[in-house]
Amino acid sequence: MEKEKKTMVKKYMIGIFLNGGTPEEPDWIRIRKSTALELNLNPETQDYDYIDNENPTTEVIKYKPSLNQALTMYKGEPDYEFAFPRFYGLAVGDKAKCEVLIVFMQESREKTIGEDPDASSVTGYLAWKNEAALTFSTLNGVDSTLGMDINFGGHMEKGFAYPDAETKKPVFVKESSDEAGWVDPFSA
């Protein structure tokens, strides 16, 4: 029996991208110059005291992921050029929102893209896509850092991301098994 090789997941294997374009035509900008990468899932739980159990049971209701970023400010770097105008403009409401894409590059997959029988296979990675609100907490001129939180909201799309052959930017493909859940019968 062959022993499975163990590989430690490193920080550079998890890509954080913010959409500088539109949902229809994304322009994914990778956060590169941050000194933090801690994805907080922020679980919401509830305790139930079921009648057939001696002690209460904790159930997980949902998650509200967030990322705290300590972005090192390098003028001219795409991540700084994306974040600073939002910081400076004190963006609120829809102006504070953008799509975020988290690519787990330690989890590679081979996928066939498209329905065409001649479609080619690509190597990609498990990914989450979500609309997030960006909030800014600090600008530290001594350390040259911009404190930014990426707060996920709404429905988390689960899927697959692979690099575009020309631009090398991510292309996200939503998994067909990813369901948004309940659909409002009164929404148009």
Side-chain angles (χ1 to χ4, degrees):
M1 184 173 176
E2 191 176 314
K3 227 177 176 178
E4 186 179 328
K5 183 182 174 188
K6 296 179 183 177
T7 305
M8 181 179 283
V9 177
K10 304 284 187 163
K11 62 188 175 201
Y12 54 83
M13 296 176 173
I14 301 168
I16 305 166
F17 297 86
L18 301 174
N19 187 357
T22 64
E24 298 78 26
E25 292 186 33
D27 179 19
W28 295 111
I29 298 163
R30 185 167 183 184
I31 294 179
R32 295 183 182 275
K33 300 302 181 191
S34 178
T35 58
L37 199 170
E38 187 170 335
L39 178 60
N40 297 303
L41 292 181
N42 303 312
E44 181 181 316
T45 63
Q46 185 168 349
D47 288 341
Y48 291 93
D49 199 1
Y50 298 125
I51 63 172
D52 68 336
N53 292 334
E54 181 179 348
N55 297 308
T57 300
T58 300
E59 301 288 355
V60 179
I61 307 302
K62 58 188 162 190
Y63 293 96
K64 187 180 181 325
S66 65
L67 278 158
N68 178 269
Q69 294 294 285
L71 186 65
T72 304
M73 298 184 293
Y74 283 100
K75 181 95 174 116
E77 278 291 329
D79 51 9
Y80 171 82
E81 298 299 335
F82 179 89
F84 186 79
R86 287 165 175 78
F87 163 83
Y88 179 77
L90 303 173
V92 297
D94 285 344
K95 291 180 180 178
K97 293 182 181 175
C98 72
E99 286 183 312
V100 61
L101 180 67
I102 308 294
V103 181
F104 301 98
M105 292 178 271
Q106 77 279 8
E107 299 293 335
S108 64
R109 303 288 191 271
E110 287 290 319
K111 295 276 187 180
T112 302
I113 304 301
E115 303 294 323
D116 186 339
D118 297 327
S120 61
S121 179
V122 297
T123 300
Y125 311 92
L126 293 181
W128 290 342
K129 187 174 88 166
N130 187 258
E131 182 180 63
L134 302 182
T135 59
F136 297 91
S137 53
T138 60
L139 185 148
N140 185 327
V142 174
D143 292 339
S144 298
T145 57
L146 183 58
M148 174 177 71
D149 290 317
I150 302 170
N151 302 290
F152 294 56
H155 176 68
M156 177 79 73
E157 292 183 31
K158 296 174 189 84
F160 173 81
Y162 63 93
D164 179 91
E166 291 178 28
T167 66
K168 301 299 182 199
K169 291 195 176 195
V171 176
F172 178 78
V173 179
K174 182 178 172 182
E175 286 292 334
S176 58
S177 62
D178 177 38
E179 295 185 23
W182 184 77
V183 176
D184 186 344
F186 297 102
S187 67

